[in-house]
Amino acid sequence: MRRLVIALLTASISVGFAAVASAADMPAKAPVYKAPVAVAPLSWAGFYLGVAGGYGWGTTGHTNEVTNIGSGTNNGLKGGIFGVTSGYNWQWGSIVAGLESDFSWSGIKDTFNDNGTGFCTGAVTCVTNLKSLGTDRARLGYAWDQWLVYATGGLAYGQVEATCCASIAGLTSDETKWRAGYAIGGGLEMMLMQNWSAKAEYLYVNLGDKTNYHIVANGNGESVLVRSSIVRVGLNYHFGSLFGL
């Protein structure tokens, strides 16, 4: 019996060594190849919405349209601006073209001393207040990596409140007029990720020199000059292309 057990153990060990040797002689299994995960290229094409805010400064002046006597020109027009933005881009390689609109609350304002209109006496002031500002512009830019540099230009419009002799009631009217002009400028935008971008932008806005209020005594119109430079930063969310455009 003892001899039988020893024989069985010897046979089992021999079979085990043979299996190990056979496995060692087998060719190694090639590693499974995994293709890298494709990352969608950054695209500027499509519809976007955003917010933007900044600061504006510029020049204003009041002039009697009958006598051509001016209250002077002042460079103290300044204040903050904040609003909403919408737009749509088309992209062909590195070229990006689009349309953009924005509308903002504005605190850009100036109060200055009357400089000799002839109908004000004493320490009186003139007021120019750009209460809101909107633009509808075209954009044309060049994109590389996550960056987009662009030029822009188009229509500008806003509410301008103006009066003179503000400390003497009844000499002039205090009127708010919708005014139209143009805006030109440029900016730099960075795609933070597939759907979010941040921008820095400069705009020169000229709303012209147009009738804005009147002298009560004779009804003469007073034209008001409004020119402003605006710098602002913004954040946009991109929804992508609509209807394959």
Side-chain angles (χ1 to χ4, degrees):
M1 186 69 180
R2 184 177 176 184
R3 290 179 179 177
L4 179 60
V5 171
I6 293 173
L8 290 173
L9 288 174
T10 302
S12 297
I13 293 171
S14 298
V15 171
F17 275 114
V20 170
S22 177
D25 291 337
M26 291 179 65
K29 198 176 209 180
V32 177
Y33 174 76
K34 293 183 179 180
V37 178
V39 178
L42 291 175
S43 174
W44 295 94
F47 178 68
Y48 60 91
L49 290 174
V51 293
Y55 187 79
W57 69 96
T59 300
T60 186
H62 297 204
T63 304
N64 187 305
E65 294 178 338
V66 175
T67 66
N68 206 33
I69 298 175
S71 298
T73 301
N74 197 56
N75 296 319
L77 195 66
K78 58 187 177 182
I81 188 168
F82 181 82
V84 294
T85 302
S86 65
Y88 198 94
N89 289 324
W90 294 266
Q91 184 168 358
W92 304 272
S94 295
I95 303 301
V96 178
L99 299 173
E100 184 172 280
S101 296
D102 59 77
F103 189 79
S104 300
W105 164 87
S106 169
I108 300 174
K109 182 178 181 179
D110 190 15
T111 300
F112 60 99
N113 292 332
D114 174 28
N115 192 30
T117 57
F119 62 86
C120 296
T121 58
V124 295
T125 57
C126 297
V127 177
T128 302
N129 182 13
L130 179 59
K131 302 174 70 174
S132 64
L133 177 67
T135 70
D136 295 312
R137 295 170 284 109
R139 299 201 313 170
L140 180 62
Y142 180 85
W144 75 101
D145 295 331
Q146 74 269 42
W147 297 96
L148 172 66
V149 60
Y150 62 89
T152 184
L155 172 70
Y157 58 93
Q159 286 180 298
V160 179
E161 179 186 23
T163 188
C164 200
C165 305
S167 59
I168 305 177
L171 284 182
T172 66
S173 57
D174 182 348
E175 301 180 42
T176 299
K177 302 284 188 182
W178 282 98
R179 301 268 297 271
Y182 66 89
I184 56 173
L188 180 66
E189 194 165 357
M190 177 184 180
M191 191 71 77
L192 303 175
M193 55 188 74
Q194 186 62 35
N195 295 101
W196 291 95
S197 68
K199 71 175 182 180
E201 182 176 69
Y202 167 81
L203 289 179
Y204 171 76
V205 175
N206 191 334
L207 296 182
D209 191 3
K210 301 174 184 178
T211 304
N212 219 115
Y213 66 98
H214 296 81
I215 301 169
V216 172
N218 53 30
N220 290 355
E222 286 281 319
S223 62
V224 176
L225 172 69
V226 179
R227 293 195 298 248
S228 182
S229 291
I230 294 172
V231 290
R232 58 186 177 185
V233 294
L235 184 67
N236 293 327
Y237 182 82
H238 297 256
F239 294 88
S241 298
L242 300 176
F243 312 113
L245 298 176

